[in-house]
């Protein structure tokens, strides 16, 4: 089979498309003929040899990829043969998703609903599950004004859709005219470009205009919830937009640094701030329940991930697009082009 391999930390071009031996499933595992595999921004950081949070750079050589969707082609000892031939999606315990075949634990498999394609399924299994966890933690209501950072990204684009369906007023922040246009198409009431230095003022003006309109659903220019996966100066600007009693949910820092905040920030305005990828995001059924919920939402509620598709052999291009902010939505690799 073919797989993407990393032999030396460094730029995206270090990802090479190679022929490698077929993997063999062990006890409790299956081998998946991969139809789509997901790419995460964190993988670009690890590829450069940098750790991030609890994640250390992998031992080399390495095949990245934490999720895959496709057909079960082989089952290992102790796995029910009924899985053979079924379309599945899974989060992988040991990476290796950037490949034509991947190994997954049978306990981690989810059947893919018949009318979902593999790219959509792979977008929902981790990115979609994260979105559902953030929604669980945020407890959005129709009276909320929700500001979504990186609103044209994989998680952000799903958050815009779900916040709109909750009846909230949605402000989407993205980079560049094309992304801002897509955020509007996703249903955001307000969409602004963070590359404009006055974007917070644009948010204020747009919310005041909404409040003044007939049947305006907002209270002036007050933002009640910020969902921040960007951090840095943009995240701090978003924090400053929160009104008294607002909720700030941090779920990443794609900028390279977390949003800076202090106890004084929280006390002065009565804010609540949480790291939203921790226990706060987990329902009683844990992470697996979030995965099932995400797949169900895509299959039955019209939740549609934005997708940027690349052939498996062009994984280096996929990483480069993520790093340059050129990709929109969830980046997916397709082994068959």
């Amino acid at each position: 089979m073919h797989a993407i391999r990393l032999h030396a930390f460094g730029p995206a071009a270090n990802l090479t498309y190679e022929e490698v031996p077929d993997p063999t499933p062990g006890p409790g595992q299956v081998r998946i003929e991969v139809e789509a595999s997901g790419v995460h921004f964190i993988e670009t950081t690890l590829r450069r040899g940098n750790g991030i949070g609890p994640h250390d750079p992998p031992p080399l050589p390495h095949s990245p990829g934490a999720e895959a969707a496709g057909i079960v082609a082989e089952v290992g000892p102790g796995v029910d043969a009924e899985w053979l031939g079924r379309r599945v999606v899974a989060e992988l315990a040991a990476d290796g998703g950037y490949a034509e075949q991947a190994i997954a634990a049978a306990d981690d498999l989810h059947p893919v609903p018949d009318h979902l394609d593999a790219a959509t399924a792979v977008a929902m299994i981790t990115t979609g599950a994260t979105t559902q966890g953030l929604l669980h933690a945020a407890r959005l209501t129709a009276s909320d004004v929700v500001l979504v950072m990186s609103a044209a990204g994989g998680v952000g684009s799903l958050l815009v859709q779900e916040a709109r369906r909750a009846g909230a007023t949605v402000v989407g922040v993205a980079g560049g005219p094309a992304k801002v246009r897509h955020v509007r198409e996703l249903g955001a009431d307000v969409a602004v470009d963070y590359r404009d230095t006055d974007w917070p003022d644009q948010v204020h003006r747009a919310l005041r205009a909404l409040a003044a309109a007939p049947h305006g659903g907002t209270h002036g220019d007050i933002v009640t919830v910020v969902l921040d996966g960007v951090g840095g100066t943009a995240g701090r600007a978003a924090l400053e937009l929160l009104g008294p009693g607002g909720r700030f949910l941090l779920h990443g820092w794609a900028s390279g640094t977390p949003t800076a905040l202090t106890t004084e920030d929280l006390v002065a305005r009565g804010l609540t701030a949480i790291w939203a990828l921790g226990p706060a995001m987990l329902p009683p059924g844990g992470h697996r329940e979030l995965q099932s919920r995400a797949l169900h939402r895509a299959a039955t509620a019209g939740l549609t991930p934005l997708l940027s598709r690349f052939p498996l052999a062009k994984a280096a291009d996929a990483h480069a697009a993520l790093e340059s902010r050129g990709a929109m939505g969830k980046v997916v690799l397709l082994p068959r082009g």
Side-chain angles (χ1 to χ4, degrees), residues 40-57:
H40 289 271
F41 189 82
I42 188 176
E43 292 163 359
T44 69
T45 302
L46 298 175
R47 187 210 68 233
R48 293 192 298 270
N50 301 322
I52 181 168
H55 303 281
D56 294 323

Side-chain angles (χ1 to χ4, degrees), residues 276-333:
L277 297 188
M281 74 178 286
L282 294 177
H287 190 62
R288 186 170 178 84
E289 180 178 329
L290 294 177
Q291 293 175 326
S292 296
R293 189 181 298 176
L295 287 167
H296 179 73
R297 294 289 292 168
T300 65
L303 185 61
T304 305
L306 284 177
L307 298 171
S308 290
R309 296 176 172 89
F310 291 81
L312 174 64
K314 300 294 185 180
D317 292 346
H319 271 224
L322 268 177
E323 291 174 297
S324 68
R325 303 293 193 268
M328 199 151 4
K330 174 70 174 180
V331 175
V332 177
L333 300 177

Side-chain angles (χ1 to χ4, degrees), residues 110-306:
H110 290 267
V112 175
D114 289 340
H115 58 286
L116 286 190
D117 67 343
T120 298
V122 88
M124 301 310 293
I125 196 66
T126 300
T127 301
T130 298
T131 301
Q132 295 303 313
L134 290 171
L135 294 168
H136 178 79
R139 303 289 201 275
L140 301 182
T141 70
S143 62
D144 277 316
V145 177
V146 182
L147 188 148
V148 180
M149 299 298 292
S150 191
V155 171
S157 60
L158 295 174
L159 285 171
V160 168
Q161 295 175 65
E162 290 285 49
R164 196 75 181 97
R165 287 188 174 92
T169 299
V170 182
V171 178
V173 183
K179 290 185 178 182
V180 169
R181 183 172 60 254
H182 274 282
V183 171
R184 289 195 185 98
E185 291 170 354
L186 289 171
D189 300 278
V190 177
V192 298
D193 189 341
Y194 71 80
R195 298 177 184 177
D196 295 336
T197 57
D198 69 336
W199 72 262
D201 292 332
Q202 293 180 33
V203 172
H204 279 304
R205 291 196 297 269
L207 289 178
R208 284 197 293 268
L210 284 177
H215 311 295
T218 69
H219 302 285
D221 56 0
I222 294 175
V223 173
T224 64
V225 180
V226 169
L227 299 167
D228 175 28
V230 174
T233 57
R236 179 68 202 191
L239 178 72
E240 294 294 338
L241 287 169
L242 274 175
R247 292 114 70 197
F248 185 84
L249 287 82
L250 178 67
H251 60 93
W253 47 90
S255 66
T257 57
T259 295
L261 56 91
T262 67
T263 303
E264 184 177 353
D265 291 322
L266 306 184
V267 173
R269 288 185 284 158
L271 305 181
T272 299
I274 63 170
W275 170 241
L277 297 188
M281 74 178 286
L282 294 177
H287 190 62
R288 186 170 178 84
E289 180 178 329
L290 294 177
Q291 293 175 326
S292 296
R293 189 181 298 176
L295 287 167
H296 179 73
R297 294 289 292 168
T300 65
L303 185 61
T304 305
L306 284 177

